[in-house]
Amino acid sequence: MDRKNVTPQGQTARILVEFLEVAINCIVFLKGFYPAGAFERRRYMNVVVQKARHPQLDNYIHSATSELLPFIQKVAGLIERVAVIFYDKDHIPVERFVFKLVISQPYSSTVEENDLQFALRAFLLKLTVSKPLTKSLPPGSSWEITAYFRALPDENNDTKVQMWVPTDTKQWLQPPCIIPIKSMSSEPLKVQLYIEHPSPTELKDQNR
Amino acid sequence: MRSSSSSSASSFSAKRRKPNPKTSFQRSSFTDFGSYMAEKNRKLRSQFEEEASSSSILNCEASSSGKGKGIFHGVSIFVDGHTVPSSQELRVYMLRHGGRLENYFSRSRVSHIICSNLPDSKMRNFRAFSRGLPVLRPAWVVDSVAANKLLNWSPYQIVEQSSEIYKQTKLSAFLRCKNISSIKDAEVSSDPNDEVDPEYLEKSEGTPLPLESKVFDQPIQVNDEFGLEKGAQFTTLLGEGTEVEASNATSTQLSIHLSSRIDDVSVDAVSSEEPTNPKCLQASDVHHSTLTDPDFVENYFKHSRLHFIGTWRNRYRRRFCNTLERNCSKDNASSISTNKSYIIHIDMDCFFVSVILRKYPELIDKPVAVCHSNNSKGTAEISSANYPARGYGIRAGMFVRDAKNCCPNLFVFPYDFIAYEEVADQFHSILHKHCNNVQALSCDEAFLDITECDYDDPENFASMIRKEIVETTQCTASAGIAGNLLIARLATKIAKPNGQCFIPPEKVEHFLDDLPITTLPGVGHALGDKLEIRKIRTCRQLRLVPKEALHKDFGVKVGDMLWKYCRGIDDRKVEVLKETKSIGAEVNWGVRFRNTMDCEHFLDNLSKEVASRLRECGVVARTVNLKVKKRRKGAKEPAKFMGCGDCENLSRSMTLPVATDDATLIRRIAKQIFSSYHLDAKEVRGVGLQMSRLETLDVNKQGHKHNVIESWLMIPAKVGEVTFRPESRRVVAESLCSSEEKLPGMQRHGPLHENSQLYFDRAAAGTETLYINLVDSRSSENAVSKLPPVSHLDMSVIKDLPAEIISEMNVAYNGKLYDLMKKHDEDQKNNGILLITPPKVIGGKKLEPDATNTSGRSSCELIKPKKAEAFEMMLHQVEKPEVSCSNLNILQMKSTTCTDPLDWASGHSSKAVLLAQNISDDTNLDKSVSRQGVLCHSASVAGDSLWNIPKDIESGVSEKFKNNLWSGSPPKWVEKFEVSNYLILNLIAQLYTKFGAVGLLSPTLQSLISLYPFILGSNGDEPDEPRLYLCELLLQYINHKIDSDIEELYLCCRLLERLTAISNFFSEVYSAFLSRLQVSVSENYGGTLQLTGCGD
């Protein structure tokens, strides 16, 4: 029983992680954070996507996403959101791309890999045309990948947990404005991608 | 140049140094620099004379040309700057031949200035520099020595630069050339004999202009040295002079220069001087690359020899059109009786040179070449050289630089295209006169099939033609006579120059035996090398190779050719005119781009050129081929100035569905292909654009070719009689390109746009039914292009269009659109107000703030949300610049004055609800709303209050609506809605069963937008009940979807917003939905949905 379930679950998690890696690459490219030359065109799920060429950048995204795998795989649903956060020079977030993940805990139904890929493909397609929705970055900005855990993982158990450090990222005081980009819900997995911008009142507060 | 400038400099410095006692020449008895120089010059002269006497004694026999004096007697040269041969060598020439060489310039002693190059500044102030003395190239000295007589120096002059900075004559100059050339001839003939008598020299040397001497006597006498500045002064003085001075000038050259300054008319005269005296100004000629010359393509082809040869064919075709056609018809009958046929291949001897030499008979035995540039360092290629020059090893294609190394006294002339044209025409008319079957290979070369002609002996016939050519054109031609084209051509090679060679069929084999393979036409370097590897060098060796082996090694075609040629077999016929296969233009010289813009500009011009060539030939083409030469990686800047160097050749072609000669279409395709190479513009060294798959165009129909689509679209009624048939294909082609260009502008005619798209598709398919379609669609066009009535427009869509399109549409509707939009806005506003206060009708366009306030005060539970909605509308209007009602000002004023620090934006629903209650208790709703100034927030407030309402009513009105409306498949509500008494609910249920397969509501709403007006009309009097049902449905939908799909909810929100524009029914539903949605989102996602355009 247990054994039987692991495989599709692992499969879903693997696809999801892979997808996150590609999507984050695309987001960073979309924001124009690095010159376009730092990316190369690749094909993923039959969609043209951009992949970082710089080894360090590529490695950061790859390791960040692949370190999520155990938490998605083993303790399904431990991760609530994965956010790509862009900061201004004072390390105040200006824009957040949030992947909200819901993985239903007990799932017996086998996942059709093709269906999942088809659904995730729509994200990548939508992402490539989402440039107008985003804000331009101020000079001196930075970005990072942040994962929101539902509970703090047990550090003693797993060495890989140590790869993740708790952050004290500054939060917005006001609830942000949300722009949905894409949502999908197939049975074991629900993914939503949306952009968060600081609310206009927030900006006024900052200016004050 | 060096010495002259240094001397002038030193003359100035001398004045400064005069008081200095410690200079080296202080020791001698010189009192000043002037006397020192005088002494030095005297000493140098005596040294020179000593040497001269000794050397001329030695070379007495050689140098004295019978008279006992050297040929340079009376000549005193001053060498300026670097020359080839060097000044030392020139000095030796002078020593030996009785001339003098002055080390320092002196107007009184120097008779000729020798220099190779002149800097730009001296060119501009030519008169100041030359002081009226002839400025000659060193070749004059060398040639005079070689000829052992003093040659006329005028061909060696370096001519002053005038306003005409091109060293090369332009074709345009020739348009007025007739009278000029006569002047020139007169000039040449008026010159004294080749041997210049000393008197003449004396005269030209010693008689400056009267005015000139007047002005300059003083400086000349006093200083003996000329400063450049003084020279400049001199020029200005002359410039102010009158034409009288010009007429007083003794030497022709001088007069030309003078007159060119004095009046503009005589600029022509100067330009006429240029072809005889090519200048070496390559470096200063700035217009020789794509970088600097915007009209590079045009100029390039004006000056291109290859272009001349290429376009010659068209001219030839036109000129000999009649005779050609006559022959064609006859050809078929004649070809049968070719029993003993003879072919003559006739070729002018070094055509490009000998045409030039007609004007310079004295140079006929001298080495002469034709080339763009006469710069001895130049990298222009020799295009043709006469036989004396070939004796020096000069070949066509050599750089001038190398040619000058081989033969320093080479005469280089520029092209004279007019003369070439004239001679070529004469040449061909002679051929056509004597023989009907002529195949012109080039402007100076042709095959004659004389089988038909009346002749006794082919050799006599050939010599008769040759004689006539010489008499008419003054240029010689050689001829080869044989049984077929191949041997005739080979025979001509033997016959050259100025001879003829007859190879009768029986001697062919012997003739070929020892002939090197590479002389066969079609055997070039590549093939020659391959054969060389196989140790095959002569035709005899090649004959030993069996045909099969040749096929194996070289392929069938080349193998066959080799096999036949080495046996002297050539089946080709003399064809009168070969059909043109392709038309194009290629530029591989001077191509340098800075960026893609330059490239595109260049492609622009090239496409225009190609298009005009297509038109000239009256053809259209289907295939566009773009060749690009790209600098090979690591290749250095080419040896040839602005040449293409070592390049990779890229070539791609694209075939169009219909043939075209339209420049814009060609340009578009060319750009497309170019961009597909992904080249760096800086790497491009050459671009060629070629059109193939030609189709002839009926010339008579050309009248319609322009503006067809324009007239079509703009005034469809007028295009009653567009002629179709072969031309209709081009109509389509043009419609394709122009419709593409117009797409953005055409979007407002939705259906029209679709139609043109349709054409495009069909044209791409290349169906012949096109014509019919065209006719059909034209008639339908009239109907289609009518604008839909204003009332049919969806205002909510129109509002979202860009302002330009709206204004354009407004024009199309004669200004009704703006009125309608305004009305629409007001309607919306008024509706809102009406909803707020149903009993009170606040008509009028002005929204009274008081009225809102009062309505706010009199608020019952039901009215509250509506009121909020009204505010939302108002706020909406704030953003619209065209609404300028006074109430806006009031609102804005409030928003600025209001400073109530009510913290309400934390996003927690409890707070929001609390706040909503606050607001409803308090009557300053408008204040709090306007304080936010943002649509979504006001909506959320309003929504919060609304949210409570249905619940209240629900208990009273609809017991059957429980929470789980969305459970089940299909969801429960569908059934309930279907059986409902209300049309709107039935409709929604039906649509949902049709579109809601995936459980999403948005497709239903979307179709509702388009269907609602037709089915229900804009009837706002729906009772409350269905509204409440629908609200409930949507609110439950939010709950249903909030955790999984905010995208869908967002979409629904937008769709509902559009529905509000159609019917008031939805306004309430929308605001309820929106507010609830925002609350849910903030609960689940910790933020509010941003409605586009509000947050930024």
Side-chain angles (χ1 to χ4, degrees):
Chain A
M1 180 73 182
D2 205 28
R3 182 115 187 109
K4 207 175 154 191
N5 263 351
V6 163
T7 322
Q9 190 174 349
Q11 183 78 348
T12 311
R14 198 186 51 74
I15 292 173
L16 180 63
V17 164
E18 200 177 73
F19 159 75
L20 283 176
E21 183 181 343
V22 176
I24 291 172
N25 265 302
C26 286
I27 290 170
V28 177
F29 173 79
L30 183 80
K31 291 297 294 171
F33 199 87
Y34 303 102
F39 293 84
E40 60 189 359
R41 283 153 57 92
R42 290 284 188 90
R43 192 178 279 269
Y44 177 72
M45 294 186 191
N46 217 14
V47 186
V48 174
V49 294
Q50 303 285 339
K51 188 178 188 299
R53 288 167 74 180
H54 194 280
Q56 270 181 309
L57 176 59
D58 185 38
N59 188 43
Y60 171 64
I61 298 173
H62 178 75
S63 59
T65 48
S66 55
E67 295 310 332
L68 290 171
L69 187 62
F71 306 109
I72 296 173
Q73 201 168 17
K74 287 178 190 160
V75 215
L78 190 61
I79 291 173
E80 189 198 358
R81 281 176 287 165
V82 178
V84 182
I85 309 176
F86 293 88
Y87 302 97
D88 66 6
K89 59 181 187 302
D90 303 323
H91 213 67
I92 297 168
V94 275
E95 191 166 50
R96 291 151 48 104
F97 285 78
V98 184
F99 294 91
K100 192 167 162 50
L101 310 174
V102 179
I103 305 170
S104 19
Q105 186 61 4
Y107 57 91
S108 48
S109 63
T110 49
V111 192
E112 275 295 324
E113 194 181 337
N114 285 342
D115 290 351
L116 189 59
Q117 287 205 349
F118 186 78
L120 291 176
R121 211 165 76 96
F123 280 82
L124 298 176
L125 286 172
K126 190 75 186 284
L127 254 185
T128 53
V129 295
S130 300
K131 179 93 180 165
L133 299 175
T134 64
K135 286 187 171 177
S136 56
L137 288 172
S141 49
S142 58
W143 71 279
E144 67 183 19
I145 302 171
T146 309
Y148 292 79
F149 289 71
R150 286 207 164 85
L152 274 180
D154 189 358
E155 283 192 29
N156 306 327
N157 245 354
D158 203 333
T159 49
K160 289 206 169 170
V161 175
Q162 286 154 10
M163 298 288 289
W164 291 94
V165 289
T167 62
D168 51 350
T169 306
K170 283 182 194 164
Q171 299 293 332
W172 291 312
L173 299 171
Q174 313 282 347
C177 284
I178 292 174
I179 305 171
I181 290 188
K182 197 71 199 171
S183 304
M184 68 148 282
S185 63
S186 62
E187 195 22 60
L189 180 67
K190 288 175 184 168
V191 185
Q192 297 200 64
L193 172 61
Y194 54 88
I195 303 174
E196 289 182 354
H197 286 150
S199 70
T201 45
E202 173 97 23
L203 291 176
K204 275 180 212 154
D205 290 346
Q206 274 177 23
N207 292 340
R208 222 179 282 158
Chain B
M1 171 210 148
R2 193 199 315 121
S3 42
S4 97
S5 64
S6 71
S7 63
S8 65
S10 51
S11 72
F12 290 120
S13 61
K15 284 166 196 157
R16 261 177 263 121
R17 278 187 203 165
K18 210 164 74 175
N20 187 351
K22 282 180 185 168
T23 44
S24 58
F25 42 81
Q26 185 64 30
R27 276 184 275 112
S28 61
S29 60
F30 307 127
T31 52
D32 63 351
F33 185 73
S35 59
Y36 163 74
M37 282 308 292
E39 181 60 19
K40 184 179 178 183
N41 280 331
R42 191 195 56 76
K43 213 168 169 185
L44 282 168
R45 266 194 302 280
S46 64
Q47 275 175 4
F48 187 88
E49 268 153 24
E50 256 171 51
E51 277 186 59
S53 58
S54 60
S55 65
S56 60
I57 287 161
L58 281 175
N59 302 298
C60 194
E61 306 87 352
S63 67
S64 59
S65 55
K67 289 180 187 171
K69 285 174 181 174
I71 53 169
F72 289 125
H73 180 74
V75 174
S76 173
I77 63 165
F78 166 70
V79 180
D80 187 350
H82 174 76
T83 53
V84 178
S86 70
S87 63
Q88 280 306 307
E89 288 171 75
L90 288 173
R91 182 168 179 264
V92 173
Y93 284 132
M94 286 292 146
L95 281 174
R96 287 191 188 155
H97 301 284
R100 278 171 177 283
L101 184 131
E102 286 293 321
N103 293 52
Y104 294 95
F105 184 80
S106 149
R107 178 66 186 81
S108 55
R109 278 192 288 271
V110 172
S111 65
H112 297 76
I113 299 171
I114 305 288
C115 65
S116 296
N117 297 307
L118 278 183
D120 196 36
S121 60
K122 284 190 184 170
M123 269 298 174
R124 265 189 259 118
N125 290 323
F126 190 80
R127 288 218 24 113
F129 164 69
S130 68
R131 312 296 140 70
L133 294 175
V135 180
L136 308 176
R137 280 178 286 113
W140 174 64
V141 177
V142 178
D143 292 343
S144 297
V145 172
N148 204 15
K149 61 182 179 184
L150 193 63
L151 296 175
N152 177 15
W153 45 257
S154 53
Y156 298 93
Q157 273 177 343
I158 288 173
V159 178
E160 174 194 9
Q161 180 179 13
S162 64
S163 61
E164 190 79 35
I165 49 168
Y166 292 94
K167 68 176 182 302
Q168 186 79 54
T169 5
K170 277 178 156 181
L171 283 183
S172 56
F174 285 103
L175 296 177
R176 337 158 251 185
C177 73
K178 288 293 174 227
N179 52 345
I180 293 160
S181 62
S182 64
I183 294 170
K184 191 167 58 190
D185 290 344
E187 213 176 277
V188 172
S189 60
S190 74
D191 275 332
N193 302 340
D194 284 336
E195 194 161 356
V196 180
D197 58 337
E199 242 183 332
Y200 171 76
L201 267 177
E202 197 60 33
K203 200 174 145 206
S204 72
E205 174 191 355
T207 49
L209 299 171
L211 184 75
E212 182 187 349
S213 52
K214 221 182 283 168
V215 174
F216 271 98
D217 266 347
Q218 204 181 0
I220 290 169
Q221 303 310 354
V222 170
N223 215 347
D224 206 46
E225 313 281 339
F226 257 85
L228 275 175
E229 284 156 84
K230 288 184 180 148
Q233 182 197 355
F234 161 72
T235 355
T236 49
L237 280 168
L238 264 185
E240 286 160 10
T242 57
E243 285 176 24
V244 184
E245 295 156 12
S247 61
N248 283 341
T250 44
S251 89
T252 23
Q253 180 212 354
L254 218 57
S255 80
I256 287 164
H257 297 157
L258 266 175
S259 53
S260 79
R261 283 184 199 290
I262 288 160
D263 64 22
D264 292 342
V265 185
S266 49
V267 169
D268 289 359
V270 175
S271 69
S272 82
E273 190 73 7
E274 279 175 354
T276 58
N277 303 290
K279 292 185 284 177
C280 19
L281 266 181
Q282 187 148 27
S284 66
D285 194 347
V286 288
H287 284 293
H288 270 2
S289 89
T290 54
L291 276 179
T292 43
D293 187 1
D295 300 322
F296 178 77
V297 173
E298 200 187 323
N299 289 335
Y300 179 86
F301 287 116
K302 245 183 223 169
H303 294 102
S304 164
R305 172 184 63 108
L306 294 173
H307 177 62
F308 168 76
I309 295 171
T311 49
W312 164 85
R313 185 171 293 275
N314 294 332
R315 222 173 33 246
Y316 169 78
R317 192 193 297 264
R318 276 201 294 274
R319 190 183 162 100
F320 296 102
C321 191
N322 300 331
T323 46
L324 295 177
E325 272 169 16
R326 185 154 35 83
N327 295 339
C328 281
S329 54
K330 219 166 75 176
D331 204 32
N332 299 333
S334 68
S335 58
I336 311 156
S337 63
T338 49
N339 211 355
K340 180 93 173 174
S341 70
Y342 281 111
I343 308 289
I344 297 179
H345 177 245
I346 193 152
D347 190 6
M348 307 283 283
D349 299 325
C350 38
F351 178 69
F352 281 82
V353 176
S354 46
V355 170
I356 298 279
L357 285 184
R358 293 185 305 165
K359 289 179 199 148
Y360 306 99
E362 76 272 12
L363 293 177
I364 217 140
D365 301 323
K366 303 278 171 346
V368 178
V370 171
C371 180
H372 272 299
S373 147
N374 187 24
N375 189 340
S376 55
K377 291 192 199 74
T379 53
E381 279 153 8
I382 303 277
S383 84
S384 180
N386 68 355
Y387 283 89
R390 289 183 203 190
Y392 284 90
I394 291 167
R395 295 283 172 271
M398 238 179 180
F399 288 169
V400 194
R401 186 173 58 190
D402 304 334
K404 289 258 177 165
N405 280 346
C406 294
C407 171
N409 38 5
L410 177 73
F411 293 85
V412 179
F413 285 93
Y415 298 104
D416 181 355
F417 291 123
I418 293 289
Y420 296 145
E421 203 169 299
E422 183 195 337
V423 174
D425 285 347
Q426 287 172 348
F427 169 69
H428 283 287
S429 9
I430 292 167
L431 300 185
H432 279 276
K433 193 169 81 188
H434 291 286
C435 176
N436 286 329
N437 206 352
V438 179
Q439 179 182 358
L441 295 175
S442 169
C443 52
D444 62 337
E445 192 181 357
F447 279 123
L448 279 68
D449 186 343
I450 52 169
T451 319
E452 296 278 298
C453 303
D454 301 326
Y455 64 94
D456 39 359
D457 177 36
E459 286 198 77
N460 288 344
F461 187 71
S463 54
M464 188 240 324
I465 290 178
R466 283 181 49 230
K467 198 172 155 225
E468 190 168 342
I469 290 170
V470 173
E471 279 164 5
T472 321
T473 67
Q474 303 161 27
C475 298
T476 57
S478 306
I481 308 141
N484 63 32
L485 301 183
L486 171 72
I487 305 298
R489 176 170 247 173
L490 292 173
T492 315
K493 281 191 183 165
I494 295 170
K496 271 179 179 274
N498 195 13
Q500 64 184 60
C501 174
F502 177 49
I503 303 177
E506 58 272 14
K507 286 188 189 159
V508 166
E509 199 173 316
H510 177 72
F511 167 71
L512 284 175
D513 269 351
D514 294 318
L515 197 73
I517 289 291
T518 44
T519 52
L520 292 176
V523 182
H525 291 295
L527 196 52
D529 289 349
K530 277 188 197 167
L531 290 163
E532 177 71 36
I533 291 166
R534 294 172 178 77
K535 300 281 172 220
I536 299 167
R537 292 198 186 89
T538 63
C539 288
R540 194 210 307 261
Q541 289 165 331
L542 187 59
R543 255 179 255 157
L544 301 175
V545 185
K547 201 176 195 173
E548 287 70 31
L550 288 174
H551 280 185
K552 210 180 98 210
D553 287 349
F554 303 104
V556 178
K557 218 171 171 184
V558 178
D560 266 347
M561 182 200 83
L562 286 174
W563 191 86
K564 280 183 181 166
Y565 279 11
C566 70
R567 284 164 181 78
I569 303 168
D570 187 1
D571 305 332
R572 290 176 302 166
K573 288 259 152 28
V574 172
E575 289 170 46
V576 168
L577 258 191
K578 282 201 174 151
E579 206 185 332
T580 315
K581 289 273 168 53
S582 69
I583 288 173
E586 186 161 356
V587 182
N588 291 331
W589 185 85
V591 177
R592 295 292 185 279
F593 301 125
R594 276 166 308 207
N595 51 35
T596 328
M597 287 288 289
D598 288 353
C599 277
E600 295 201 343
H601 179 75
F602 185 77
L603 283 177
D604 246 37
N605 290 335
L606 205 59
S607 326
K608 274 182 210 151
E609 175 75 32
V610 171
S612 75
R613 288 185 193 182
L614 284 169
R615 286 213 186 96
E616 237 166 63
C617 301
V619 291
V620 286
R622 283 185 62 195
T623 301
V624 183
N625 183 296
L626 187 75
K627 276 193 271 184
V628 173
K629 277 185 180 291
K630 177 194 162 213
R631 189 174 71 101
R632 200 179 290 283
K633 220 170 182 176
K636 294 193 183 68
E637 192 58 20
K640 182 172 169 63
F641 177 72
M642 293 306 273
C644 58
D646 189 11
C647 283
E648 281 173 56
N649 293 312
L650 308 166
S651 172
R652 252 178 229 181
S653 58
M654 196 177 275
T655 303
L656 303 170
V658 281
T660 185
D661 63 359
D662 180 72
T664 38
L665 184 62
I666 297 172
R667 184 190 61 205
R668 199 163 52 80
I669 303 291
K671 280 182 183 170
Q672 205 176 327
I673 302 176
F674 186 83
S675 60
S676 74
Y677 291 135
H678 300 294
L679 287 176
D680 180 2
K682 293 190 186 77
E683 304 283 274
V684 176
R685 290 290 179 270
V687 184
L689 187 61
Q690 196 181 47
M691 306 288 293
S692 50
R693 299 177 81 176
L694 304 179
E695 293 168 11
T696 35
L697 181 77
D698 197 342
V699 186
N700 304 330
K701 303 267 171 87
Q702 272 184 331
H704 273 294
K705 68 184 173 179
H706 286 303
N707 299 332
V708 171
I709 190 72
E710 279 86 348
S711 47
W712 229 33
L713 290 175
M714 298 312 161
I715 16 168
K718 278 194 184 173
V719 206
E721 59 301 292
V722 180
T723 41
F724 291 108
R725 279 291 97 196
E727 210 238 343
S728 58
R729 306 196 76 172
R730 73 180 292 114
V731 173
V732 176
E734 301 222 346
S735 81
L736 292 186
C737 71
S738 54
S739 69
E740 281 206 341
E741 281 162 10
K742 290 206 167 160
L743 278 187
M746 275 171 50
Q747 270 163 354
R748 62 196 164 103
H749 319 278
L752 190 63
H753 163 57
E754 274 168 32
N755 267 7
S756 60
Q757 189 60 46
L758 187 76
Y759 297 159
F760 194 81
D761 293 340
R762 294 208 180 148
T767 48
E768 287 295 303
T769 53
L770 250 171
Y771 315 138
I772 303 144
N773 281 338
L774 270 169
V775 182
D776 286 348
S777 59
R778 192 164 42 79
S779 53
S780 67
E781 201 85 344
N782 294 343
V784 161
S785 57
K786 263 185 209 154
L787 292 166
V790 190
S791 52
H792 286 191
L793 296 176
D794 184 345
M795 279 303 150
S796 56
V797 173
I798 303 253
K799 266 196 293 185
D800 289 339
L801 291 176
E804 305 88 62
I805 294 185
I806 295 181
S807 70
E808 205 177 327
M809 287 176 72
N810 189 45
V811 172
Y813 281 111
N814 299 326
K816 282 180 195 159
L817 189 68
Y818 275 151
D819 294 347
L820 193 79
M821 283 174 70
K822 204 172 164 189
K823 193 162 156 257
H824 178 80
D825 285 342
E826 280 162 5
D827 278 354
Q828 261 193 342
K829 203 161 57 192
N830 291 341
N831 281 340
I833 294 158
L834 283 171
L835 273 173
I836 294 164
T837 56
K840 281 194 235 169
V841 177
I842 306 175
K845 290 174 184 178
K846 290 210 171 179
L847 178 63
E848 301 287 335
D850 281 348
T852 9
N853 274 337
T854 45
S855 70
R857 277 189 201 103
S858 69
S859 59
C860 65
E861 285 266 300
L862 245 172
I863 284 165
K864 232 192 300 175
K866 291 177 185 166
K867 182 181 174 191
E869 184 200 337
F871 273 103
E872 180 199 317
M873 291 292 184
M874 281 157 57
L875 286 167
H876 209 68
Q877 309 254 329
V878 174
E879 298 164 350
K880 294 200 189 319
E882 63 261 32
V883 181
S884 58
C885 301
S886 57
N887 59 336
L888 290 182
N889 299 334
I890 295 160
L891 271 176
Q892 280 168 341
M893 218 164 65
K894 276 185 180 169
S895 70
T896 49
T897 53
C898 198
T899 49
D900 186 7
L902 189 60
D903 177 24
W904 79 311
S906 63
H908 295 295
S909 55
S910 56
K911 253 187 180 172
V913 172
L914 194 79
L915 183 74
Q917 280 162 1
N918 277 347
I919 293 163
S920 60
D921 291 345
D922 198 42
T923 48
N924 61 352
L925 177 68
D926 47 353
K927 270 192 188 174
S928 62
V929 170
S930 58
R931 180 163 59 91
Q932 287 308 308
V934 174
L935 183 62
C936 63
H937 284 252
S938 74
S940 91
V941 175
D944 275 340
S945 45
L946 180 79
W947 182 36
N948 297 327
I949 308 154
K951 276 187 183 165
D952 299 342
I953 297 165
E954 193 187 338
S955 52
V957 179
S958 57
E959 277 302 320
K960 29 180 184 175
F961 274 122
K962 290 292 173 213
N963 243 348
N964 42 11
L965 276 176
W966 282 93
S967 61
S969 173
K972 280 181 188 169
W973 64 268
V974 177
E975 196 188 342
K976 282 173 181 159
F977 273 32
E978 265 174 350
V979 297
S980 153
N981 294 328
Y982 300 106
L983 193 55
I984 174 75
L985 298 186
N986 297 348
L987 178 65
I988 291 172
Q990 276 170 22
L991 289 173
Y992 185 80
T993 42
K994 200 172 166 191
F995 296 110
V998 285
L1000 297 179
L1001 194 60
S1002 54
T1004 308
L1005 293 176
Q1006 194 158 12
S1007 51
L1008 194 61
I1009 289 175
S1010 50
L1011 286 175
Y1012 189 88
F1014 298 104
I1015 296 176
L1016 297 164
S1018 52
N1019 178 4
D1021 293 341
E1022 291 280 343
D1024 280 346
E1025 204 183 332
R1027 195 178 298 155
L1028 293 172
Y1029 286 143
L1030 192 59
C1031 277
E1032 185 57 30
L1033 173 75
L1034 288 167
L1035 298 185
Q1036 286 193 28
Y1037 188 59
I1038 293 174
N1039 291 340
H1040 179 63
K1041 285 285 180 190
I1042 190 69
D1043 64 331
S1044 65
D1045 202 344
I1046 47 169
E1047 189 200 1
E1048 162 71 7
L1049 294 176
Y1050 180 76
L1051 201 56
C1052 286
C1053 185
R1054 305 292 297 186
L1055 290 168
L1056 279 172
E1057 189 191 356
R1058 284 184 62 188
L1059 277 168
T1060 57
I1062 296 168
S1063 164
N1064 300 327
F1065 175 77
F1066 286 101
S1067 314
E1068 203 179 325
V1069 176
Y1070 169 65
S1071 53
F1073 178 81
L1074 179 65
S1075 51
R1076 173 59 179 275
L1077 179 64
Q1078 292 289 27
V1079 172
S1080 297
V1081 168
S1082 67
E1083 272 173 1
N1084 284 274
Y1085 296 88
T1088 47
L1089 275 185
Q1090 182 181 5
L1091 295 168
T1092 319
C1094 300
D1096 296 40

